[in-house]
């Protein structure tokens, strides 16, 4: 008896490494023990910012009978997005071109639904965020993988150009890049724009800028939208506030986007058809207050420096991220899942690289607290020493 569609079956197979992690209840219980060092997901390991509770409480009190009625794009929230984008990106976005969404997840799903037809192709860069490929597949489109080369993770523009066909409809670019932490440069983005402009058919650029405010060493965010007209900018507050369970974000189209009036309607229909990917009313009301808040990025940079230096001294190959809150580390064992389990024996919990299409590596989340970082070092040291001993047996 058929229990799901063929597309869902394909998505399940692709997400098998992810599903194995999130459904392993024994692993989850171990990772939640008081002495555990949980570096797996970008979840908070400290109490949330007080500004979040203050903003939500402030705006939860109803001011009229429609306070909790259906909410599309709240004008005040849209105004906040426009002001922020004009300041941070340097483009005069217009209010009509902002679509409020349930974070970047809702924004990506809605954008893909609005522009894709079955048989279209979407280029994505690997290692990717887990859910790019399933969202592409869900629209009957083909996901075309182009690999970064670690440890530098430079934008493979030549490979992208070779992958473009008459069926290419879009490319997803993520900067700062999860999981490597690489920030794409102006030169790389200009080369990419030149390739896309020279393509045989119009191609949309979907710019995932979820981590655009989490930058290290004084770097500035450079939006790909600045270089290519046919672009969608995707943003979420879930990373800046470290609130993955409170969904608030938006899609923004630049004024140079061709056919943007038609796309406005397509996005609204897409958001509705997907099951209402508009944020809850209170989150939109609170957006101006939330815009002012941010996690402690300098503290995260200090954790990065501490971990990367300590791991490198132990003999690990760790990629020093330029942004995001992740560190990619090459596994001392070819089997990254086996090494993940070895770390778990030392009460250190990470994600295996196979979850990101990059076997032989693992990912650490810097959202762990300082105490976890310090306590983890002995476990990392013991695990790599054990791996060296096993290798020489």
């Amino acid at each position: 008896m058929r229990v799901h569609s063929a597309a869902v079956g394909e998505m399940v197979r692709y997400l098998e490494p992810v599903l194995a992690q999130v459904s392993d209840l024994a692993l989850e219980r171990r990772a939640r023990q008081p002495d555990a060092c949980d570096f797996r997901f970008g979840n908070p390991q400290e109490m949330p910012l007080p500004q979040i509770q203050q903003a939500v409480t402030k705006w939860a009190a109803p001011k009229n009978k429609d306070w909790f009625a259906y909410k599309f794009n709240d004008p005040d929230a849209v105004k906040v997005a426009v002001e922020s984008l004009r300041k941070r990106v340097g483009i005069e976005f217009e209010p009509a071109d902002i679509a409020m969404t349930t974070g970047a997840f809702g924004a990506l799903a809605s954008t893909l639904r609005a522009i894709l037809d079955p048989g279209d192709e979407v280029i994505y860069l690997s290692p990717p965020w887990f859910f790019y490929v399933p969202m592409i597949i869900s629209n009957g489109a083909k996901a075309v993988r182009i690999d970064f080369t670690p440890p530098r993770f430079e934008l493979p523009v030549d490979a992208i150009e070779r992958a473009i066909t008459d069926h290419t409809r879009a490319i997803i670019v993520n900067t700062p890049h999860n999981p490597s932490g690489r920030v794409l440069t102006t030169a790389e983005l200009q080369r990419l724009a030149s390739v896309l402009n020279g393509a045989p058919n119009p191609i949309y650029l979907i710019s995932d800028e979820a981590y655009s405010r989490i930058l290290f060493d004084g770097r500035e965010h450079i939006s790909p939208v600045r270089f290519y007209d046919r672009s969608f900018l995707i943003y979420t507050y879930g990373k800046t506030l470290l609130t993955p369970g409170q969904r608030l974000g938006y899609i923004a189209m630049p004024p140079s986007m061709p056919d943007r009036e038609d796309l406005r309607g397509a996005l609204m229909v897409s958001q509705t058809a997907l099951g209402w990917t508009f944020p809850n009313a209170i989150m939109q009301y609170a957006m101006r207050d939330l815009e002012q808040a941010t996690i402690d990025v300098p503290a995260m940079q200090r954790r990065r420096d501490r971990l990367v230096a300590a791991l490198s001294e132990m003999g690990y190959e760790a990629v020093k991220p330029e942004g995001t809150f992740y560190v990619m580390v090459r596994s001392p064992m070819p089997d990254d899942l086996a090494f993940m389990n070895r770390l778990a024996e030392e009460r250190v919990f990470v994600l295996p690289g196979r979850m990101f299409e990059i076997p032989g590596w693992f990912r650490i989340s810097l959202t762990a607290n300082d105490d976890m970082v310090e306590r983890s070092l002995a476990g990392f040291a013991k695990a790599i020493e054990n791996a060296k001993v096993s290798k020489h047996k």
Side-chain angles (χ1 to χ4, degrees):
M1 182 178 70
R2 192 180 76 173
V3 295
H4 53 59
S5 68
V8 169
E10 188 178 355
M11 287 185 278
V12 168
R13 287 189 293 274
Y14 178 83
L15 287 172
E16 185 175 353
V18 180
L19 297 173
Q21 287 289 312
V22 299
S23 62
D24 189 335
L25 299 181
L27 180 67
E28 181 68 19
R29 284 193 295 271
R30 292 168 64 196
R32 289 185 176 274
Q33 293 299 310
D35 62 345
C37 303
D38 188 357
F39 296 100
R40 295 175 302 161
F41 298 101
N43 282 321
Q45 300 292 344
E46 298 176 306
M47 289 301 292
L49 295 171
Q51 297 97 312
I52 300 169
Q53 183 269 328
Q54 292 163 7
V56 172
T57 300
K58 171 184 172 182
W59 292 99
K63 294 179 171 53
N64 55 58
K65 68 177 181 62
D66 296 321
W67 201 245
F68 303 118
Y70 283 110
K71 182 63 60 177
F72 291 96
N73 300 312
D74 181 75
D76 290 333
V78 168
K79 184 178 180 181
V80 174
V82 167
E83 292 170 356
S84 178
L85 287 167
R86 288 177 177 177
K87 178 180 178 181
R88 293 187 298 109
V89 181
I91 293 175
E92 290 295 304
F93 288 89
E94 296 182 7
D97 295 324
I98 307 295
M100 302 303 304
T101 63
T102 47
F105 215 133
L108 288 161
S110 301
T111 301
L112 290 168
R113 175 61 65 90
I115 64 174
L116 292 181
D117 288 316
D120 284 343
E121 295 177 357
V122 179
I123 295 172
Y124 74 98
L125 299 167
S126 182
W129 179 55
F130 322 122
F131 296 107
Y132 288 152
V133 171
M135 284 194 282
I136 294 167
I137 293 171
S138 71
N139 289 283
K142 177 183 177 183
V144 178
R145 171 179 169 175
I146 300 296
D147 290 338
F148 282 108
T149 301
R152 293 180 62 84
F153 292 94
E154 295 173 330
L155 187 65
V157 179
D158 291 341
I160 292 170
E161 184 173 22
R162 290 192 296 270
I164 292 174
T165 72
D166 291 341
H167 298 288
T168 305
R169 183 66 167 167
I171 178 172
I172 301 175
V173 174
N174 174 212
T175 181
H177 174 246
N178 171 18
S180 74
R182 176 84 200 296
V183 175
L184 300 182
T185 67
T186 295
E188 288 174 317
L189 295 174
Q190 287 175 331
R191 285 188 61 211
L192 175 63
S194 177
V195 166
L196 297 179
N197 281 319
N201 51 285
I203 297 174
Y204 289 107
L205 187 153
I206 301 173
S207 180
D208 179 355
E209 303 183 19
Y211 298 91
S212 58
R213 300 195 211 185
I214 303 174
L215 298 165
F216 303 137
D217 306 311
R219 285 181 174 81
E220 294 184 7
H221 173 63
I222 304 166
S223 173
V225 178
R226 290 169 50 183
F227 307 101
Y228 186 65
D229 291 342
R230 197 178 294 271
S231 296
F232 296 94
L233 188 154
I234 306 296
Y235 182 71
T236 177
Y237 286 89
K239 310 304 180 184
T240 310
L241 302 176
L242 199 51
T243 53
Q246 292 291 333
R247 315 301 298 175
L248 179 66
Y250 51 78
I251 307 163
M253 293 186 293
S256 57
M257 168 71 89
D259 303 319
R260 61 192 172 114
E261 292 185 5
D262 289 338
L263 286 167
R264 293 169 189 166
L267 286 172
M268 178 163 283
V269 170
S270 174
Q271 287 187 260
T272 306
L274 282 168
W276 206 262
T277 62
F278 301 94
N280 288 336
I282 291 175
M283 293 303 292
Q284 295 200 56
Y285 301 148
M287 190 161 142
R288 184 167 295 279
D289 294 333
L290 297 173
E291 170 73 21
Q292 310 305 315
T294 178
I295 54 175
D296 190 341
V297 176
M300 202 161 284
Q301 180 174 317
R302 290 194 297 271
R303 288 180 200 138
R304 176 205 65 172
D305 293 343
R306 175 66 171 138
L307 265 172
V308 170
L311 293 176
S312 299
E313 187 174 346
M314 294 173 197
Y316 288 94
E317 180 184 349
V319 177
K320 189 175 184 180
E322 300 170 335
T324 75
F325 37 61
Y326 305 113
V327 177
M328 288 297 292
V329 185
R330 193 185 296 273
S331 171
M333 299 168 58
D335 188 337
D336 51 287
L337 185 60
F339 189 72
M340 181 205 78
N341 290 328
R342 183 159 290 186
L343 281 171
E345 293 173 5
E346 306 302 327
R347 298 180 176 82
V348 177
F349 298 87
V350 300
L351 290 184
R354 65 188 62 194
M355 289 181 63
F356 311 92
E357 300 183 356
I358 186 167
W361 292 74
F362 62 89
R363 192 191 77 174
I364 295 170
S365 175
L366 295 171
T367 58
N369 59 48
D370 292 338
D371 180 58
M372 281 185 180
V373 170
E374 294 303 323
R375 285 190 287 109
S376 73
L377 298 182
F380 278 117
K382 187 174 180 181
I384 194 172
E385 287 304 314
N386 288 342
K388 290 176 182 177
V389 170
S390 299
K391 183 177 180 180
H392 290 96
K393 280 186 177 180

